[in-house]
Amino acid sequence: MASARAITAELNRVGITAVLDVGGGGRYKSGYKVFKKLRNENNLTVRTFYTMFHPKAKKLLKKLKENSPPSGTDTFYRLIGIGETFYRPLHDNTFRKFKTSGKHAAKLLELARAAAGTEWHIHMHATLDETGSHVLDNFERANRATPLKPLRWVFAHLDAVGPKNLARMKKLAMMAAIHSRPTIQDRL
């Protein structure tokens, strides 16, 4: 509890009033308990939002089909969607491409349709233009049944996106979360 109070105090000191943790490997809802406790005590001074991480596609699909989207009126603490690993087999990085297969495309489409149909926000890791292209193929298919525009889906770490995929993202009202890695590493 003391460390959570210290970090929020430091964030406030430098003028930061809200944070979004988009999850990733190993971060689960239980990791946010201390922030929820601070919120329940009316002592949370930084608005804290997070996304859910589900490493198993089957469990994620079940959760999407069983639950309405994360919502609520709490403007200080809440789950806002799924991220940053939406579908593990398509989680790329700057130095490693994912292997595309018909099985993965079908599962991604199934997950995207379920997420769109239940109005879940997605914040998906997609570093390479090739990844974005493959994922966008499936997101566009999901968009035919349920419009994605109001969901404000995001590609995270979109370091190497091309103009064609940016135009496709724009049509879906998707956003790009750019990472500082290319600047820090001085290369893509």
Side-chain angles (χ1 to χ4, degrees):
M1 183 72 87
S3 61
R5 288 181 198 275
I7 190 66
T8 56
E10 179 62 15
L11 291 170
N12 288 149
R13 187 188 70 75
V14 297
I16 295 173
T17 61
V19 294
L20 167 60
D21 183 356
V22 294
R27 178 59 61 201
Y28 297 91
K29 190 174 183 178
S30 61
Y32 300 98
K33 283 182 182 177
V34 68
F35 295 97
K36 185 173 185 174
K37 185 174 182 182
L38 284 172
R39 176 60 182 145
N40 291 341
E41 296 171 352
N42 255 350
N43 290 319
L44 186 61
T45 60
V46 174
R47 297 178 329 167
T48 305
F49 306 101
Y50 66 97
T51 58
M52 171 181 68
F53 167 68
H54 263 284
K56 305 283 186 201
K58 264 187 185 176
K59 286 184 181 181
L60 175 58
L61 191 59
K62 183 179 179 195
K63 185 158 185 86
L64 289 171
K65 289 180 176 181
E66 290 177 352
N67 294 292
S68 58
S71 60
T73 57
D74 192 334
T75 60
F76 259 80
Y77 174 84
R78 71 179 167 171
L79 169 71
I80 65 157
I82 304 162
E84 135 180 343
T85 303
F86 177 54
Y87 181 48
R88 173 70 88 195
L90 301 185
H91 189 90
D92 70 356
N93 70 43
T94 307
F95 306 109
R96 178 185 51 83
K97 296 179 182 179
F98 66 86
K99 291 186 168 99
T100 306
S101 75
K103 175 180 124 182
H104 293 316
K107 184 57 72 177
L108 175 63
L109 179 57
E110 183 180 16
L111 288 166
R113 284 180 172 156
T118 53
E119 299 178 346
W120 278 79
H121 168 76
I122 296 191
H123 194 105
M124 183 176 180
H125 191 283
T127 303
L128 303 171
D129 197 45
E130 179 183 331
T131 306
S133 186
H134 178 72
V135 173
L136 282 166
D137 290 345
N138 289 286
F139 283 4
E140 287 166 344
R141 287 184 191 110
N143 183 62
R144 291 180 197 138
T146 305
L148 302 185
K149 282 185 177 185
L151 304 177
R152 299 177 55 164
W153 286 5
V154 177
F155 276 151
H157 305 289
L158 195 59
D159 298 340
V161 66
K164 183 178 176 184
N165 280 338
L166 282 174
R168 292 173 73 191
M169 289 171 63
K170 185 176 180 179
K171 286 181 183 176
L172 298 173
M174 288 185 65
M175 295 177 282
I178 308 299
H179 197 282
S180 59
R181 181 175 42 244
T183 304
I184 294 167
Q185 294 175 341
D186 193 31
R187 65 188 163 108
L188 281 178

